[in-house]
Amino acid sequence: MYQAKAPQAKVIADHRLELLNYTIRDLRLGDETKWSDGVLTVNADELKKHLIAEAGVRRVGIAVARPGESTRIVNILDAIEPRAKPGDGQIFPGFLGAMDGTVGRGQTHAIDGCAVMVCGSVPGEVASQVVSEAMVDMSGPGAEYSPFSRTMNLVLWCDFYDDQGPVKRVSVARYAGLLAARFLAQATLDHSPDATRIYEMPEKALTIQNHTPHVVYICPGMLLSDLHQTFLSGSALTSTPTVVHPTQLMDGILVSGNYDIGATRNPTYFYQRNPIVEALFAHQQNGLLAFAGVIVSKCLIEGFFGKQRSAYLAAQTAKLLDADGAVISIEECGHAYADLMLTCQACEEMGIKTVLLMAESAGPTGAKPGPIAFAEAADAVISVGNMDELISLPAVEAVLGGPWSCGRWMIDNMALEAMETPLANIFAATCQLGPGRLTGETR
């Protein structure tokens, strides 16, 4: 009698990622793309040809912006850390390859302190939404606010075909940025790293036996329109929460497609090198907690019942992961605060203690109430700053990304000139993943 046999499953080791860090000392343009003693040299012509052929941009300008230079970068869409995997390993799944068992496992090469800064002018609107300005000053008072004033930045200035509308433009620029990030990191593949860090999660039975508190990270993205969204392995988020391994974030399973308020965007860079994930792994290493996983959810859900459904599903998922505590951040602001507070409330009702990160929109002087919603259970809230605060920026010697700022909160000045602007225009100034140095102040 013939008996069918089940197909032999490919055996894949548990999630264990070796992150090979290469610390950058300088970034230069030159005749070949190579890594040598902390110096990354990039052949701009080779990279341009690659991006024009593969991504569909009409032209692309490439320049370097270093900390301390009198340079302003404008029209920023996203920032990405250069990362690549050896062999058949997949990076940025859903965009540059398939979602498979190599994502979050094996080895990943990362150029620490370097960012691919993707810029482009995207006029027009989609579903009443527009691309908002995001800028970085590499020196002066503005440099205090953006984390990207402290990175070596390879700036890609994308120029699009006239018949490419706003959705096509951001799609092309996004793909170009991811290709460039992998292209740069591949220069390190044959070199020894400056440091290697191993990321893995402990055995559940052992942590329960030792009474180690289990902590999850509830990490929302967003979907507001085709101009403002977050991608999970290449697809737009739904309102049903999804569990991912923390190391999968490091391999680019989350990619930003949010081009709204510059200050509160979660750039792809800080999904890859997420400060909350890094802190939870560090506390786990010190024996303070067991990192139980990442729950990817969605902000800016339409309607109260939709928000409540997602919040309770996220809390229920955390409970099924045996979570004793949860760190919760959000993307954007406005009614995203309601998503944050409902998730907090649902977790607390299930006995899960919470800590929240959020930006404030409290007016130029901080006198307005920050969030539009607040839950009584939210008794541990970290403010990452007030996006409405006004700052004065001096004139600069060079501008990259375009001669003018664009989109919401447009500034009348030429980008080279001195200007006054709300923090809303400063890229990642109040990013709610926690990379900045701003906090709120009680008065």
Side-chain angles (χ1 to χ4, degrees), residues 231-349:
F231 294 94
L232 175 63
S233 60
S235 297
L237 290 183
T238 72
S239 56
T240 301
T242 304
V243 177
V244 302
H245 196 284
T247 58
Q248 292 180 316
L249 268 67
M250 299 173 185
D251 277 350
I253 196 174
L254 284 179
V255 168
S256 175
N258 178 15
Y259 311 113
D260 202 5
I261 305 169
T264 57
R265 292 182 203 170
N266 292 343
T268 300
Y269 185 101
F270 288 123
Y271 285 130
Q272 298 168 276
R273 199 174 285 274
N274 187 306
I276 298 170
V277 169
E278 294 286 347
L280 289 173
F281 270 120
H283 287 314
Q284 175 179 273
Q285 188 172 9
N286 292 330
L288 299 177
L289 56 83
F291 195 175
V294 174
I295 301 168
V296 177
S297 63
K298 177 183 162 188
C299 276
L300 295 166
I301 298 170
E302 294 296 330
F304 176 77
F305 291 121
K307 290 178 182 294
Q308 192 175 50
R309 170 187 176 273
S310 181
Y312 276 88
L313 284 175
Q316 178 178 289
T317 304
K319 196 68 176 176
L320 290 171
L321 293 173
D322 288 325
D324 302 295
V327 180
I328 314 172
S329 62
I330 59 171
E331 172 100 55
E332 279 289 338
C333 55
H335 67 90
Y337 291 128
D339 299 283
L340 175 70
M341 295 300 166
L342 284 169
T343 304
C344 164
Q345 181 175 290
C347 285
E348 294 278 352
E349 286 177 5

Side-chain angles (χ1 to χ4, degrees), residues 47-350:
L47 180 54
K48 286 178 185 179
K49 290 177 183 176
H50 180 53
L51 299 183
I52 290 170
E54 298 295 328
V57 292
R58 179 165 65 176
R59 289 184 296 266
V60 60
I62 297 177
V64 172
R66 300 178 182 85
E69 294 179 340
S70 181
T71 300
R72 177 170 296 145
I73 311 170
V74 298
N75 298 340
I76 300 170
L77 298 173
D78 195 15
I80 309 154
E81 183 174 88
R83 294 200 174 188
K85 294 181 82 71
D88 296 329
Q90 299 291 349
I91 201 83
F92 304 117
F95 289 102
L96 304 190
M99 178 66 197
D100 66 12
T102 67
V103 178
R105 294 182 170 96
Q107 291 186 336
T108 297
H109 292 238
I111 303 182
D112 191 7
C114 180
V116 174
M117 199 72 70
V118 188
C119 303
S121 176
V122 184
E125 65 177 51
V126 176
S128 76
Q129 302 295 317
V130 299
V131 171
S132 298
E133 180 54 273
M135 61 174 65
V136 171
D137 274 13
M138 299 303 294
S139 64
E144 295 296 316
Y145 294 91
S146 175
F148 296 106
S149 66
R150 301 185 287 279
T151 52
M152 295 281 185
N153 299 317
L154 187 80
V155 181
L156 304 183
W157 182 358
C158 298
D159 181 35
F160 308 99
Y161 291 98
D162 293 339
D163 61 351
Q164 290 177 330
V167 175
K168 183 63 176 177
R169 290 188 179 205
V170 296
S171 176
V172 164
R174 181 166 51 247
Y175 192 46
L178 298 175
L179 286 170
R182 184 178 65 181
F183 178 89
L184 298 189
Q186 285 173 336
T188 69
L189 291 180
D190 295 327
H191 297 269
S192 298
D194 295 295
T196 299
R197 184 169 178 188
I198 296 173
Y199 296 87
E200 56 188 341
M201 289 162 65
E203 292 185 23
K204 190 173 182 181
L206 184 62
T207 60
I208 292 175
Q209 181 181 338
N210 294 339
H211 306 291
T212 309
H214 288 64
V215 178
V216 298
Y217 171 34
I218 300 178
C219 175
M222 65 175 297
L223 176 58
L224 191 58
S225 77
D226 287 337
L227 295 181
H228 307 315
Q229 59 184 317
T230 310
F231 294 94
L232 175 63
S233 60
S235 297
L237 290 183
T238 72
S239 56
T240 301
T242 304
V243 177
V244 302
H245 196 284
T247 58
Q248 292 180 316
L249 268 67
M250 299 173 185
D251 277 350
I253 196 174
L254 284 179
V255 168
S256 175
N258 178 15
Y259 311 113
D260 202 5
I261 305 169
T264 57
R265 292 182 203 170
N266 292 343
T268 300
Y269 185 101
F270 288 123
Y271 285 130
Q272 298 168 276
R273 199 174 285 274
N274 187 306
I276 298 170
V277 169
E278 294 286 347
L280 289 173
F281 270 120
H283 287 314
Q284 175 179 273
Q285 188 172 9
N286 292 330
L288 299 177
L289 56 83
F291 195 175
V294 174
I295 301 168
V296 177
S297 63
K298 177 183 162 188
C299 276
L300 295 166
I301 298 170
E302 294 296 330
F304 176 77
F305 291 121
K307 290 178 182 294
Q308 192 175 50
R309 170 187 176 273
S310 181
Y312 276 88
L313 284 175
Q316 178 178 289
T317 304
K319 196 68 176 176
L320 290 171
L321 293 173
D322 288 325
D324 302 295
V327 180
I328 314 172
S329 62
I330 59 171
E331 172 100 55
E332 279 289 338
C333 55
H335 67 90
Y337 291 128
D339 299 283
L340 175 70
M341 295 300 166
L342 284 169
T343 304
C344 164
Q345 181 175 290
C347 285
E348 294 278 352
E349 286 177 5
M350 296 184 191

